[in-house]
Amino acid sequence: MNRPTLQDIARQLGLSKMTVSRALRGEPHVRRDVVEAVHATADALGYRPDPEISKLMSHMRRTRRSESPRTLAFIWAEKSAGELRQSSWSMQLVSGARTRATQLGFELAEFHLAEKGMTAPRLSTILEARGIPGFILSPLISRSRGHVSMRWEKFSSAMIGLGFARPPQHRVHHHHFLGMMETLRQLKKQGYRRIGFFSGATIDERMFGAWSASFLTHHPLPRSEAVKLLCLRREPTRQALHEWMSKARPEAIIDGGQLIWSWLKGIRIPEELGYATLSWQADQADRAGIDQQADVLGAAAVDLVVEQFHHNERGTPLHPKIVMTAGEWRAGPSVRKVKP
């Protein structure tokens, strides 16, 4: 029996082959009743796309884009342009996204929701007017839950980070649980046992407790002792840090970001206290920690948006994807080999 083709579906419904193809790809300008009829007939005939033809069509679309690149948007949800220039992580993030976009035949334009007079609905109108089919939304840093009122139905999109709650979208984030696990492993290799973790509570909530859960799961001491070495504060302060240290007596501290480094002045590191960060930066190589590889994160977000663009997918997905990227441990002089 011959394999059913697009032409077979078109003949049975009295449609053109092009209309059938567009309906199967879910293009928005095809009437809903036509889309439903095409899918029903395709299922009845047992139609399945030919993967080689799909590969060829994808190549042809990429070729057309290389001749006239489409633009994707990178939307900074909170930070201003001035703040971004001072953040090496943010610069690495958008650089990775731009490099990947170029590799796939796209350009990348940055937009800022924090600009005076800018709103999500207004930005949606701007993107649509410029013919931008998709965007990446940067992490929500200041809150663990939030809502951004973009006109999602108009675009292919992806979020970075887990702090975005409504509506549910495809997202990319660093594998925080794995990052904490690797940090503990590296500190244990150096001989540390009383390893403490001090961080703001909001950032741990934003990743659904991945850091604290991994800390308690993989700590070298029994959980009853590990709990005493975990300190999450809603409003972390230098005083709170030192009060906790005097009670917990950690041999090494894991920092949830670059929060406490300046609060440790006067303490000899690593002679008196080991230090590792879960947000290592290349411009702060005097510290050991996890490099979240923000450029890899940005590239993965572009991949998600481009995949949707290729399949003509817009709006809130029925089954949102979560893509996680791994970091790498960077050795540094803030930890040392501890004698048993």
Side-chain angles (χ1 to χ4, degrees):
M1 182 176 178
N2 293 331
R3 180 174 185 157
T5 65
L6 290 176
Q7 189 61 54
D8 295 328
I9 302 172
R11 188 181 301 112
Q12 186 158 327
L13 292 172
L15 300 171
S16 70
K17 184 177 175 181
M18 181 60 71
T19 298
V20 170
S21 176
R22 288 172 174 167
L24 288 173
R25 294 202 305 270
E27 293 193 5
H29 60 273
V30 181
R31 293 200 324 267
R32 185 176 183 82
D33 61 320
V34 173
V35 172
E36 292 174 351
V38 167
H39 278 277
T41 303
D43 290 341
L45 293 176
Y47 170 78
R48 295 292 180 272
D50 186 324
E52 291 302 318
I53 293 178
S54 297
K55 180 179 178 182
L56 175 62
M57 294 304 295
S58 179
H59 170 73
M60 290 172 66
R61 284 192 291 269
R62 285 197 302 270
T63 301
R64 287 196 295 270
R65 282 196 303 274
S66 67
E67 295 170 355
S68 180
R70 296 294 296 271
T71 299
L72 300 177
F74 194 104
I75 301 174
W76 294 103
E78 296 180 341
K79 292 184 177 181
S80 67
E83 291 172 320
L84 292 169
R85 284 192 292 270
Q86 298 174 19
S87 168
S88 59
W89 188 89
S90 298
M91 292 296 93
Q92 187 182 5
L93 179 70
V94 74
S95 176
R98 180 170 286 107
T99 297
R100 185 58 176 160
T102 300
Q103 290 171 346
L104 297 178
F106 291 82
E107 294 178 346
L108 194 72
E110 295 179 62
F111 298 87
H112 301 268
L113 277 175
E115 281 185 359
K116 185 177 181 180
M118 183 61 73
T119 65
R122 183 185 175 202
L123 181 55
S124 297
T125 300
I126 293 171
L127 299 186
E128 193 173 4
R130 290 181 53 175
I132 295 177
F135 64 82
I136 298 160
L137 184 68
S138 76
L140 295 174
I141 301 299
S142 64
R143 48 205 162 123
S144 60
R145 297 291 183 269
H147 182 86
V148 178
S149 304
M150 296 293 293
R151 297 194 184 107
W152 303 101
E153 71 279 3
K154 301 288 186 180
F155 307 99
S156 303
S157 62
M159 319 297 135
I160 296 176
L162 286 176
F164 191 80
R166 303 183 309 275
Q169 299 290 337
H170 296 311
R171 65 186 71 195
V172 177
H173 73 101
H174 169 65
H175 199 323
H176 298 287
F177 190 95
L178 190 64
M180 174 64 83
M181 184 178 74
E182 178 62 15
T183 301
L184 286 169
R185 189 180 77 85
Q186 292 290 342
L187 292 176
K188 284 188 286 186
K189 279 175 60 177
Q190 296 298 318
Y192 292 105
R193 298 279 293 169
R194 293 193 62 80
I195 304 168
F197 174 42
F198 186 92
S199 181
T202 300
I203 188 170
D204 190 59
E205 290 173 359
R206 198 170 69 237
M207 58 189 70
F208 306 140
W211 275 346
S212 55
S214 184
F215 179 81
L216 295 174
T217 301
H218 299 289
H219 201 280
L221 297 179
R223 185 164 298 186
S224 59
E225 288 298 312
V227 168
K228 300 173 185 177
L229 289 157
L230 170 65
C231 187
L232 300 176
R233 293 298 182 93
R234 184 65 58 188
E235 295 183 6
T237 64
R238 185 181 185 279
Q239 181 179 346
L241 169 66
H242 285 273
E243 288 177 353
W244 166 75
M245 286 174 58
S246 66
K247 295 177 182 178
R249 295 177 292 104
E251 300 169 339
I253 289 183
I254 298 173
D255 186 352
Q258 299 289 344
L259 177 67
I260 66 175
W261 179 258
S262 62
W263 296 346
L264 296 174
K265 287 183 178 179
I267 299 175
R268 292 186 303 125
I269 296 176
E271 292 80 10
E272 296 176 353
L273 181 71
Y275 172 92
T277 175
L278 296 171
S279 301
W280 182 92
Q281 302 293 325
D283 57 355
Q284 297 170 335
D286 55 340
R287 308 163 203 186
I290 290 291
D291 177 2
Q292 294 187 12
Q293 300 190 106
D295 54 336
V296 176
L297 201 62
V302 170
D303 284 340
L304 264 182
V305 173
V306 171
E307 177 188 4
Q308 294 169 73
F309 175 76
H310 283 168
H311 293 92
N312 295 292
E313 296 172 356
R314 306 286 187 272
T316 301
L318 183 61
H319 302 291
K321 297 178 183 177
I322 297 179
V323 176
M324 293 190 290
T325 64
E328 288 190 2
W329 172 259
R330 304 298 185 191
S334 62
V335 298
R336 65 185 178 94
K337 193 74 175 177
V338 179
K339 293 181 181 180

